[in-house]
Amino acid sequence: MDLAFLHPLYEHPGPWASVYVDTSRHSGSTPQDRASTARELARDLREQGADRSTCHAVRTAVEELALSPEPLGRALFARAGEVVLDPPLAAAPGGSSARWAALPHTAPLLDLATEDPVCAVAYIDRAGAEFELRGAVGSREAGPPRGTADPDRPVRHFRLRVENAWDHNAAEIADALAVCQEETGAGLVVLVGERRARRSVRERLPHRLRDRVAEASPGPGGRLLDEDVERIREAHLRDRAAAELERFLAARTPDENGRTRAVEGVSAVAEAARDHRIDELLIRPGGPDTRREVWIGEDPDRVAVRPDDLGSPGEQHPWRARADDALLRAAVETGAPAVSVPSTAGGEAPAGGVGALLRGD
């Protein structure tokens, strides 16, 4: 997951209120249910020591969710009386919760949010292609992109037709699809059509899209249903997570010089964070190290198991924080992505539930 959207959370000091609102269980009396949830979450924050203005901001934001459809949930991150970030959730959080801590509790977003909210679906034939953008709200036709990934924003119809040989047509379609993906920010490209046509277009897509492409046969009426797109998207994300875990397992094996390109366990990963060597952060949900308390400083890269290891002589007031949240803050600072990886057969990789692929020397 690209963590760039979390930057606003680390531009100001804490403490922070981190709230996950489950909106998947409400009945027809949604406004009343949401108001009750808002009161309970604000009370929980107040009991944990949150200031009144922040509690009020959270309560108001949760109550306002009743005014717009929220089928699964929303996360809210607030401080100093203001909700700073409120990303929608792609999966229900399994109940609403509130946490008041030195750092925003962002680790659940690796499983509850999604980096691929919009899919570009290309219906391909030998005459050309039609593009759609598909997200949680359904579909829309995609023409020459308008530079937005908002699934609610309309764009004009687009039909690419060329009369040249198929090889030329496939190249034209691939070029247009690459532009569509780049300007809309679509996280996944789904090629729909006859197998040979899909393959021809896929082979001509830019290398940067190779791990963002999936293929499918046409559904009823030649189109994919929303549930088909969701199934493809979920399978794609699972495959990517499994591939990253395999890459980590291979990287932790010493090379011919005895060096490894991966570390695991909170102490080793914290050291890599301080050295700005994390190329990708791996979190295994439920791992014991994810909940372990570490010490952090004002700078995002200051994280250590012991306060003496922070490495900042001027650090007068280190704080305690959850390891996963502290390491995610460090990853955001250095531009490293993060991934939630599945448990292996033995459930031991990465050790403690925290690992990192390292940047080269």
PDB file of all heavy atoms in Angstrom, residues 202 211 213-214 231-247 339-342:
ATOM      1  N   ARG A 202      -1.902  -6.794 -23.217  1.00  0.00           N
ATOM      2  CA  ARG A 202      -1.094  -6.871 -21.995  1.00  0.00           C
ATOM      3  C   ARG A 202       0.391  -6.806 -22.309  1.00  0.00           C
ATOM      4  O   ARG A 202       1.160  -6.147 -21.604  1.00  0.00           O
ATOM      5  CB  ARG A 202      -1.419  -8.159 -21.239  1.00  0.00           C
ATOM      6  CG  ARG A 202      -0.700  -8.280 -19.904  1.00  0.00           C
ATOM      7  CD  ARG A 202      -1.267  -9.399 -19.073  1.00  0.00           C
ATOM      8  NE  ARG A 202      -0.785  -9.351 -17.703  1.00  0.00           N
ATOM      9  CZ  ARG A 202      -1.354  -9.995 -16.693  1.00  0.00           C
ATOM     10  NH1 ARG A 202      -2.437 -10.734 -16.902  1.00  0.00           N
ATOM     11  NH2 ARG A 202      -0.866  -9.889 -15.478  1.00  0.00           N
ATOM     12  N   ASP A 211       2.368  -5.349 -12.742  1.00  0.00           N
ATOM     13  CA  ASP A 211       1.824  -5.953 -11.526  1.00  0.00           C
ATOM     14  C   ASP A 211       0.487  -5.349 -11.132  1.00  0.00           C
ATOM     15  O   ASP A 211      -0.017  -5.590 -10.040  1.00  0.00           O
ATOM     16  CB  ASP A 211       2.820  -5.833 -10.366  1.00  0.00           C
ATOM     17  CG  ASP A 211       3.077  -4.384  -9.967  1.00  0.00           C
ATOM     18  OD1 ASP A 211       2.692  -3.477 -10.735  1.00  0.00           O
ATOM     19  OD2 ASP A 211       3.655  -4.156  -8.891  1.00  0.00           O
ATOM     20  N   VAL A 213      -2.200  -5.559 -13.443  1.00  0.00           N
ATOM     21  CA  VAL A 213      -3.088  -6.036 -14.501  1.00  0.00           C
ATOM     22  C   VAL A 213      -3.688  -7.383 -14.131  1.00  0.00           C
ATOM     23  O   VAL A 213      -3.010  -8.274 -13.622  1.00  0.00           O
ATOM     24  CB  VAL A 213      -2.334  -6.154 -15.841  1.00  0.00           C
ATOM     25  CG1 VAL A 213      -3.265  -6.671 -16.943  1.00  0.00           C
ATOM     26  CG2 VAL A 213      -1.753  -4.807 -16.245  1.00  0.00           C
ATOM     27  N   ALA A 214      -4.988  -7.515 -14.371  1.00  0.00           N
ATOM     28  CA  ALA A 214      -5.682  -8.793 -14.246  1.00  0.00           C
ATOM     29  C   ALA A 214      -6.495  -9.003 -15.520  1.00  0.00           C
ATOM     30  O   ALA A 214      -6.760  -8.056 -16.269  1.00  0.00           O
ATOM     31  CB  ALA A 214      -6.590  -8.801 -13.021  1.00  0.00           C
ATOM     32  N   ARG A 231     -14.448  -9.291  -6.842  1.00  0.00           N
ATOM     33  CA  ARG A 231     -13.759 -10.577  -6.681  1.00  0.00           C
ATOM     34  C   ARG A 231     -12.377 -10.538  -7.322  1.00  0.00           C
ATOM     35  O   ARG A 231     -11.392 -11.007  -6.736  1.00  0.00           O
ATOM     36  CB  ARG A 231     -14.605 -11.688  -7.306  1.00  0.00           C
ATOM     37  CG  ARG A 231     -13.929 -13.050  -7.323  1.00  0.00           C
ATOM     38  CD  ARG A 231     -14.826 -14.096  -7.968  1.00  0.00           C
ATOM     39  NE  ARG A 231     -15.334 -13.657  -9.258  1.00  0.00           N
ATOM     40  CZ  ARG A 231     -14.632 -13.702 -10.387  1.00  0.00           C
ATOM     41  NH1 ARG A 231     -13.385 -14.154 -10.376  1.00  0.00           N
ATOM     42  NH2 ARG A 231     -15.166 -13.287 -11.525  1.00  0.00           N
ATOM     43  N   ILE A 232     -12.273  -9.963  -8.508  1.00  0.00           N
ATOM     44  CA  ILE A 232     -10.978  -9.860  -9.197  1.00  0.00           C
ATOM     45  C   ILE A 232     -10.027  -8.972  -8.405  1.00  0.00           C
ATOM     46  O   ILE A 232      -8.842  -9.284  -8.243  1.00  0.00           O
ATOM     47  CB  ILE A 232     -11.186  -9.306 -10.617  1.00  0.00           C
ATOM     48  CG1 ILE A 232     -11.953 -10.328 -11.470  1.00  0.00           C
ATOM     49  CG2 ILE A 232      -9.852  -8.962 -11.268  1.00  0.00           C
ATOM     50  CD1 ILE A 232     -12.446  -9.760 -12.791  1.00  0.00           C
ATOM     51  N   ARG A 233     -10.556  -7.850  -7.902  1.00  0.00           N
ATOM     52  CA  ARG A 233      -9.707  -6.932  -7.136  1.00  0.00           C
ATOM     53  C   ARG A 233      -9.171  -7.594  -5.874  1.00  0.00           C
ATOM     54  O   ARG A 233      -7.981  -7.494  -5.553  1.00  0.00           O
ATOM     55  CB  ARG A 233     -10.497  -5.671  -6.773  1.00  0.00           C
ATOM     56  CG  ARG A 233      -9.663  -4.578  -6.124  1.00  0.00           C
ATOM     57  CD  ARG A 233     -10.553  -3.470  -5.573  1.00  0.00           C
ATOM     58  NE  ARG A 233     -11.365  -3.954  -4.469  1.00  0.00           N
ATOM     59  CZ  ARG A 233     -10.922  -4.075  -3.223  1.00  0.00           C
ATOM     60  NH1 ARG A 233      -9.684  -3.753  -2.926  1.00  0.00           N
ATOM     61  NH2 ARG A 233     -11.712  -4.520  -2.272  1.00  0.00           N
ATOM     62  N   GLU A 234     -10.038  -8.283  -5.130  1.00  0.00           N
ATOM     63  CA  GLU A 234      -9.603  -8.935  -3.897  1.00  0.00           C
ATOM     64  C   GLU A 234      -8.577 -10.021  -4.177  1.00  0.00           C
ATOM     65  O   GLU A 234      -7.592 -10.160  -3.443  1.00  0.00           O
ATOM     66  CB  GLU A 234     -10.812  -9.509  -3.165  1.00  0.00           C
ATOM     67  CG  GLU A 234     -11.724  -8.448  -2.564  1.00  0.00           C
ATOM     68  CD  GLU A 234     -12.916  -9.045  -1.858  1.00  0.00           C
ATOM     69  OE1 GLU A 234     -13.112 -10.279  -1.958  1.00  0.00           O
ATOM     70  OE2 GLU A 234     -13.667  -8.287  -1.200  1.00  0.00           O
ATOM     71  N   ALA A 235      -8.790 -10.799  -5.227  1.00  0.00           N
ATOM     72  CA  ALA A 235      -7.832 -11.848  -5.579  1.00  0.00           C
ATOM     73  C   ALA A 235      -6.485 -11.242  -5.973  1.00  0.00           C
ATOM     74  O   ALA A 235      -5.421 -11.762  -5.615  1.00  0.00           O
ATOM     75  CB  ALA A 235      -8.380 -12.700  -6.718  1.00  0.00           C
ATOM     76  N   HIS A 236      -6.537 -10.134  -6.690  1.00  0.00           N
ATOM     77  CA  HIS A 236      -5.303  -9.456  -7.096  1.00  0.00           C
ATOM     78  C   HIS A 236      -4.516  -8.975  -5.883  1.00  0.00           C
ATOM     79  O   HIS A 236      -3.289  -9.167  -5.809  1.00  0.00           O
ATOM     80  CB  HIS A 236      -5.657  -8.282  -8.004  1.00  0.00           C
ATOM     81  CG  HIS A 236      -4.488  -7.449  -8.409  1.00  0.00           C
ATOM     82  ND1 HIS A 236      -3.533  -7.880  -9.297  1.00  0.00           N
ATOM     83  CD2 HIS A 236      -4.100  -6.191  -8.031  1.00  0.00           C
ATOM     84  CE1 HIS A 236      -2.621  -6.945  -9.463  1.00  0.00           C
ATOM     85  NE2 HIS A 236      -2.933  -5.906  -8.705  1.00  0.00           N
ATOM     86  N   LEU A 237      -5.204  -8.373  -4.909  1.00  0.00           N
ATOM     87  CA  LEU A 237      -4.518  -7.888  -3.711  1.00  0.00           C
ATOM     88  C   LEU A 237      -3.944  -9.040  -2.893  1.00  0.00           C
ATOM     89  O   LEU A 237      -2.834  -8.941  -2.346  1.00  0.00           O
ATOM     90  CB  LEU A 237      -5.477  -7.060  -2.864  1.00  0.00           C
ATOM     91  CG  LEU A 237      -5.928  -5.726  -3.463  1.00  0.00           C
ATOM     92  CD1 LEU A 237      -6.933  -5.043  -2.553  1.00  0.00           C
ATOM     93  CD2 LEU A 237      -4.738  -4.815  -3.723  1.00  0.00           C
ATOM     94  N   ARG A 238      -4.687 -10.149  -2.799  1.00  0.00           N
ATOM     95  CA  ARG A 238      -4.156 -11.325  -2.084  1.00  0.00           C
ATOM     96  C   ARG A 238      -2.911 -11.857  -2.770  1.00  0.00           C
ATOM     97  O   ARG A 238      -1.916 -12.203  -2.109  1.00  0.00           O
ATOM     98  CB  ARG A 238      -5.224 -12.418  -2.000  1.00  0.00           C
ATOM     99  CG  ARG A 238      -6.343 -12.146  -1.009  1.00  0.00           C
ATOM    100  CD  ARG A 238      -7.119 -13.413  -0.724  1.00  0.00           C
ATOM    101  NE  ARG A 238      -7.672 -13.998  -1.936  1.00  0.00           N
ATOM    102  CZ  ARG A 238      -8.874 -13.717  -2.422  1.00  0.00           C
ATOM    103  NH1 ARG A 238      -9.650 -12.840  -1.806  1.00  0.00           N
ATOM    104  NH2 ARG A 238      -9.314 -14.301  -3.525  1.00  0.00           N
ATOM    105  N   ASP A 239      -2.957 -11.925  -4.082  1.00  0.00           N
ATOM    106  CA  ASP A 239      -1.800 -12.442  -4.828  1.00  0.00           C
ATOM    107  C   ASP A 239      -0.591 -11.536  -4.644  1.00  0.00           C
ATOM    108  O   ASP A 239       0.548 -12.013  -4.498  1.00  0.00           O
ATOM    109  CB  ASP A 239      -2.143 -12.567  -6.313  1.00  0.00           C
ATOM    110  CG  ASP A 239      -3.135 -13.685  -6.599  1.00  0.00           C
ATOM    111  OD1 ASP A 239      -3.329 -14.543  -5.708  1.00  0.00           O
ATOM    112  OD2 ASP A 239      -3.709 -13.695  -7.701  1.00  0.00           O
ATOM    113  N   ARG A 240      -0.816 -10.229  -4.644  1.00  0.00           N
ATOM    114  CA  ARG A 240       0.302  -9.301  -4.461  1.00  0.00           C
ATOM    115  C   ARG A 240       0.906  -9.441  -3.067  1.00  0.00           C
ATOM    116  O   ARG A 240       2.135  -9.405  -2.902  1.00  0.00           O
ATOM    117  CB  ARG A 240      -0.163  -7.870  -4.701  1.00  0.00           C
ATOM    118  CG  ARG A 240      -0.346  -7.523  -6.159  1.00  0.00           C
ATOM    119  CD  ARG A 240      -0.812  -6.101  -6.358  1.00  0.00           C
ATOM    120  NE  ARG A 240       0.139  -5.129  -5.826  1.00  0.00           N
ATOM    121  CZ  ARG A 240      -0.085  -3.815  -5.824  1.00  0.00           C
ATOM    122  NH1 ARG A 240      -1.226  -3.338  -6.298  1.00  0.00           N
ATOM    123  NH2 ARG A 240       0.822  -2.986  -5.336  1.00  0.00           N
ATOM    124  N   ALA A 241       0.051  -9.587  -2.051  1.00  0.00           N
ATOM    125  CA  ALA A 241       0.556  -9.755  -0.688  1.00  0.00           C
ATOM    126  C   ALA A 241       1.356 -11.041  -0.562  1.00  0.00           C
ATOM    127  O   ALA A 241       2.424 -11.069   0.063  1.00  0.00           O
ATOM    128  CB  ALA A 241      -0.601  -9.742   0.306  1.00  0.00           C
ATOM    129  N   ALA A 242       0.840 -12.124  -1.164  1.00  0.00           N
ATOM    130  CA  ALA A 242       1.556 -13.399  -1.110  1.00  0.00           C
ATOM    131  C   ALA A 242       2.892 -13.303  -1.846  1.00  0.00           C
ATOM    132  O   ALA A 242       3.908 -13.857  -1.398  1.00  0.00           O
ATOM    133  CB  ALA A 242       0.695 -14.514  -1.712  1.00  0.00           C
ATOM    134  N   ALA A 243       2.903 -12.576  -2.962  1.00  0.00           N
ATOM    135  CA  ALA A 243       4.152 -12.415  -3.716  1.00  0.00           C
ATOM    136  C   ALA A 243       5.175 -11.620  -2.917  1.00  0.00           C
ATOM    137  O   ALA A 243       6.380 -11.933  -2.942  1.00  0.00           O
ATOM    138  CB  ALA A 243       3.863 -11.729  -5.053  1.00  0.00           C
ATOM    139  N   GLU A 244       4.718 -10.582  -2.197  1.00  0.00           N
ATOM    140  CA  GLU A 244       5.642  -9.797  -1.384  1.00  0.00           C
ATOM    141  C   GLU A 244       6.208 -10.626  -0.240  1.00  0.00           C
ATOM    142  O   GLU A 244       7.374 -10.494   0.131  1.00  0.00           O
ATOM    143  CB  GLU A 244       4.946  -8.556  -0.838  1.00  0.00           C
ATOM    144  CG  GLU A 244       4.623  -7.519  -1.896  1.00  0.00           C
ATOM    145  CD  GLU A 244       5.840  -7.135  -2.701  1.00  0.00           C
ATOM    146  OE1 GLU A 244       6.826  -6.651  -2.114  1.00  0.00           O
ATOM    147  OE2 GLU A 244       5.822  -7.331  -3.931  1.00  0.00           O
ATOM    148  N   LEU A 245       5.397 -11.516   0.321  1.00  0.00           N
ATOM    149  CA  LEU A 245       5.894 -12.382   1.379  1.00  0.00           C
ATOM    150  C   LEU A 245       6.945 -13.340   0.829  1.00  0.00           C
ATOM    151  O   LEU A 245       7.985 -13.571   1.466  1.00  0.00           O
ATOM    152  CB  LEU A 245       4.740 -13.173   2.010  1.00  0.00           C
ATOM    153  CG  LEU A 245       5.127 -14.165   3.109  1.00  0.00           C
ATOM    154  CD1 LEU A 245       5.882 -13.463   4.236  1.00  0.00           C
ATOM    155  CD2 LEU A 245       3.890 -14.870   3.655  1.00  0.00           C
ATOM    156  N   GLU A 246       6.702 -13.877  -0.363  1.00  0.00           N
ATOM    157  CA  GLU A 246       7.696 -14.765  -0.978  1.00  0.00           C
ATOM    158  C   GLU A 246       8.993 -14.012  -1.244  1.00  0.00           C
ATOM    159  O   GLU A 246      10.089 -14.545  -1.062  1.00  0.00           O
ATOM    160  CB  GLU A 246       7.134 -15.345  -2.280  1.00  0.00           C
ATOM    161  CG  GLU A 246       6.059 -16.397  -2.084  1.00  0.00           C
ATOM    162  CD  GLU A 246       6.581 -17.616  -1.326  1.00  0.00           C
ATOM    163  OE1 GLU A 246       7.715 -18.051  -1.602  1.00  0.00           O
ATOM    164  OE2 GLU A 246       5.861 -18.108  -0.444  1.00  0.00           O
ATOM    165  N   ARG A 247       8.882 -12.781  -1.682  1.00  0.00           N
ATOM    166  CA  ARG A 247      10.081 -11.979  -1.929  1.00  0.00           C
ATOM    167  C   ARG A 247      10.839 -11.729  -0.636  1.00  0.00           C
ATOM    168  O   ARG A 247      12.080 -11.770  -0.607  1.00  0.00           O
ATOM    169  CB  ARG A 247       9.667 -10.641  -2.571  1.00  0.00           C
ATOM    170  CG  ARG A 247      10.833  -9.827  -3.099  1.00  0.00           C
ATOM    171  CD  ARG A 247      10.350  -8.825  -4.123  1.00  0.00           C
ATOM    172  NE  ARG A 247       9.672  -7.699  -3.510  1.00  0.00           N
ATOM    173  CZ  ARG A 247      10.257  -6.519  -3.274  1.00  0.00           C
ATOM    174  NH1 ARG A 247      11.540  -6.334  -3.586  1.00  0.00           N
ATOM    175  NH2 ARG A 247       9.580  -5.531  -2.747  1.00  0.00           N
ATOM    176  N   VAL A 339       2.754  -3.436   3.430  1.00  0.00           N
ATOM    177  CA  VAL A 339       1.834  -4.476   2.998  1.00  0.00           C
ATOM    178  C   VAL A 339       1.458  -5.346   4.177  1.00  0.00           C
ATOM    179  O   VAL A 339       2.297  -5.641   5.037  1.00  0.00           O
ATOM    180  CB  VAL A 339       2.446  -5.326   1.857  1.00  0.00           C
ATOM    181  CG1 VAL A 339       3.727  -6.021   2.311  1.00  0.00           C
ATOM    182  CG2 VAL A 339       1.442  -6.340   1.332  1.00  0.00           C
ATOM    183  N   SER A 340       0.203  -5.715   4.254  1.00  0.00           N
ATOM    184  CA  SER A 340      -0.269  -6.693   5.235  1.00  0.00           C
ATOM    185  C   SER A 340      -0.127  -8.062   4.609  1.00  0.00           C
ATOM    186  O   SER A 340      -0.736  -8.339   3.564  1.00  0.00           O
ATOM    187  CB  SER A 340      -1.730  -6.417   5.591  1.00  0.00           C
ATOM    188  OG  SER A 340      -2.254  -7.440   6.412  1.00  0.00           O
ATOM    189  N   VAL A 341       0.703  -8.915   5.201  1.00  0.00           N
ATOM    190  CA  VAL A 341       1.003 -10.203   4.588  1.00  0.00           C
ATOM    191  C   VAL A 341       0.247 -11.320   5.305  1.00  0.00           C
ATOM    192  O   VAL A 341      -0.007 -11.240   6.508  1.00  0.00           O
ATOM    193  CB  VAL A 341       2.511 -10.497   4.608  1.00  0.00           C
ATOM    194  CG1 VAL A 341       3.258  -9.477   3.771  1.00  0.00           C
ATOM    195  CG2 VAL A 341       3.056 -10.513   6.029  1.00  0.00           C
ATOM    196  N   PRO A 342      -0.114 -12.361   4.567  1.00  0.00           N
ATOM    197  CA  PRO A 342      -0.804 -13.492   5.197  1.00  0.00           C
ATOM    198  C   PRO A 342       0.150 -14.313   6.036  1.00  0.00           C
ATOM    199  O   PRO A 342       1.372 -14.284   5.845  1.00  0.00           O
ATOM    200  CB  PRO A 342      -1.313 -14.293   3.993  1.00  0.00           C
ATOM    201  CG  PRO A 342      -0.324 -13.993   2.908  1.00  0.00           C
ATOM    202  CD  PRO A 342       0.079 -12.559   3.119  1.00  0.00           C
TER     203      PRO A 342
END
